[in-house]
Amino acid sequence: MPESYETLIVERRNRVALITINRPEKRNALNIRTRQEGAAALEELRDDASVGVVVFTGAGDKAFIAGADIAEFAGRTALTQRDVMLGRSLFTAIDDFPKPVIAMVNGYCLGGGCELALACDLRIASETASFGQPEINLGIIPGGGGTQRLTRLIGEGKAMELILTGDIIDARTALALGLVNMVVPAADLESKTMELANRIAEKSPIALRMAKEAVRIASRSNLDEGLRREVDLFALCFSSEDKDEGVKAFLEKRKPVFKGK
Ligand code: COA
């Protein structure tokens, strides 16, 4: 049974959960409700063993997410804004989510939308998608991790350029910068993303979790600490039945069947 949300649609496709931000008339801008519902949806999917991968997308063919809901900024005090941002963050919930999360970017991916995509593990873009951090044009700066995650992903020079100019770039340029993993024709976006998501969802959930955690550590620690943590996470995989199954299946020349145990 799909969960019921006001601003989201959550669907299950095999072992993949598809979360669609559903405010197309507002270009799927993230208001407080959408952020809360997004975090709640992830909370529901976190311990659901039937879900191996989560995909985020936007409703309609114009926008993935056109940013924070600017209407909510009007008249807001600094203290209220701080409370909103220090509350339960959707971006942090994605970052901390123990399963892979993929952004399926189908149009404008701006501001908080780009930050949401950056918090995901992989980004697949349609040829018609566009990307940017246009906050500077509103007299503000990215506040959902954009200055940090974009810089770590594409380097300081290009991140600085995008953030200082507020320029919007097309999907091919985003691919060249390493901001997205893949660009596909708009008509193929869903099938290609689902194909990738399903392929990942067949792997051991335990190994996926350890892999995500290990890679995330790389940009948050020094090399010695990262290498040390990698060894711990690698060794932890040896406590799983999935590791026994993976090794056994290889030796028996068959496809492994992972159970997430
Ligand atoms: N917050 C709130 N409302 C937004 C929004 C946002 N980030 N982005 C779009 N909308 C709303 C528009 O206000 C408009 O509402 P209305 O029909 O009630 O007037 C509706 O969505 C459609 O937007 P429109 O600008 O007419 O669509 P478009 O297809 O011509 O342009 C964008 C799309 C995304 C280029 C343009 O809407 C835009 O620049 N949005 C703001 C992007 C931004 O600065 N994001 C960073 C926020 S921190």
Side-chain angles (χ1 to χ4, degrees), residues 25-27 29 62 66-71 73 108 110-111 134-135 138:
E25 72 290 348
K26 293 291 177 192
R27 302 297 180 263
K62 292 210 167 85
D69 190 324
I70 299 169
F73 288 165
Y108 290 113
L110 305 176
E135 289 89 344
L138 300 171

Side-chain angles (χ1 to χ4, degrees), residues 64-65 109-119 131-133 150 179:
F64 172 66
I65 298 166
C109 181
L110 305 176
C114 194
E115 291 173 309
L116 188 145
L118 287 165
F131 297 79
Q133 297 288 167
L150 185 64
L179 176 44

Side-chain angles (χ1 to χ4, degrees), residues 159-194:
M160 194 70 92
E161 185 183 329
L162 286 175
I163 289 167
L164 296 186
T165 62
D167 283 352
I168 292 174
I169 57 172
D170 62 23
R172 293 268 159 219
T173 308
L175 181 67
L177 291 176
L179 176 44
V180 298
N181 296 79
M182 204 190 295
V183 176
V184 299
D188 299 340
L189 179 65
E190 190 163 327
S191 62
K192 293 278 183 202
T193 307
M194 285 300 162

Side-chain angles (χ1 to χ4, degrees), residues 98 203-215 228-248 258-261:
K203 319 277 183 204
S204 159
I206 296 171
L208 287 173
R209 180 178 186 165
M210 298 303 140
K212 174 168 176 172
E213 199 174 323
V215 174
R228 181 59 224 277
R229 299 274 301 276
E230 182 189 74
V231 169
D232 291 342
L233 294 167
F234 179 86
L236 213 46
C237 295
F238 276 60
S239 66
S240 72
E241 288 176 24
D242 281 354
K243 170 254 168 191
D244 295 338
E245 164 65 6
V247 171
K248 197 159 171 269
F258 295 118
K259 296 195 182 124
K261 290 185 182 158

Side-chain angles (χ1 to χ4, degrees), residues 7-11 18-22 55-60:
T7 64
L8 306 178
I9 301 167
V10 181
E11 298 162 89
L18 177 64
I19 301 180
T20 304
I21 311 285
N22 191 26
V55 174
F56 270 96
T57 196

Side-chain angles (χ1 to χ4, degrees), residues 10-254:
V10 181
E11 298 162 89
R12 320 278 178 124
R13 312 245 177 106
N14 301 320
R15 288 185 43 74
V16 179
L18 177 64
I19 301 180
T20 304
I21 311 285
N22 191 26
R23 301 183 73 212
E25 72 290 348
K26 293 291 177 192
R27 302 297 180 263
N28 303 318
L30 294 176
N31 59 7
I32 290 177
R33 176 106 198 193
T34 314
R35 291 168 196 261
Q36 286 170 340
E37 290 191 346
L42 287 178
E43 203 54 46
E44 279 205 53
L45 298 170
R46 164 183 277 269
D47 298 321
D48 183 339
S50 70
V51 171
V53 171
V54 171
V55 174
F56 270 96
T57 196
D61 56 4
K62 292 210 167 85
F64 172 66
I65 298 166
D69 190 324
I70 299 169
E72 288 185 341
F73 288 165
R76 191 180 274 171
T77 66
L79 278 181
T80 309
Q81 182 60 32
R82 188 168 186 268
D83 286 345
V84 168
M85 293 171 84
L86 291 180
R88 197 164 168 227
S89 159
L90 173 57
F91 308 126
T92 306
I94 293 171
D95 206 338
D96 290 344
F97 197 65
K99 309 173 191 191
V101 184
I102 301 175
M104 182 167 93
V105 183
N106 53 317
Y108 290 113
C109 181
L110 305 176
C114 194
E115 291 173 309
L116 188 145
L118 287 165
C120 293
D121 303 304
L122 298 168
R123 288 152 290 279
I124 313 302
S126 121
E127 275 170 350
T128 53
S130 56
F131 297 79
Q133 297 288 167
E135 289 89 344
I136 203 85
N137 298 324
L138 300 171
I140 56 176
I141 68 169
T147 63
Q148 304 304 302
R149 292 198 180 96
L150 185 64
T151 305
R152 281 167 166 78
L153 191 64
I154 69 172
E156 187 173 318
K158 281 295 173 188
M160 194 70 92
E161 185 183 329
L162 286 175
I163 289 167
L164 296 186
T165 62
D167 283 352
I168 292 174
I169 57 172
D170 62 23
R172 293 268 159 219
T173 308
L175 181 67
L177 291 176
L179 176 44
V180 298
N181 296 79
M182 204 190 295
V183 176
V184 299
D188 299 340
L189 179 65
E190 190 163 327
S191 62
K192 293 278 183 202
T193 307
M194 285 300 162
E195 187 272 319
L196 176 71
N198 277 300
R199 200 148 48 83
I200 293 173
E202 280 180 12
K203 319 277 183 204
S204 159
I206 296 171
L208 287 173
R209 180 178 186 165
M210 298 303 140
K212 174 168 176 172
E213 199 174 323
V215 174
R216 289 284 194 216
I217 290 167
S219 58
R220 291 176 156 91
S221 70
N222 65 42
L223 182 60
D224 287 339
E225 190 197 337
L227 292 171
R228 181 59 224 277
R229 299 274 301 276
E230 182 189 74
V231 169
D232 291 342
L233 294 167
F234 179 86
L236 213 46
C237 295
F238 276 60
S239 66
S240 72
E241 288 176 24
D242 281 354
K243 170 254 168 191
D244 295 338
E245 164 65 6
V247 171
K248 197 159 171 269
F250 175 81
L251 296 175
E252 292 172 359
K253 301 191 189 304
R254 63 173 172 83

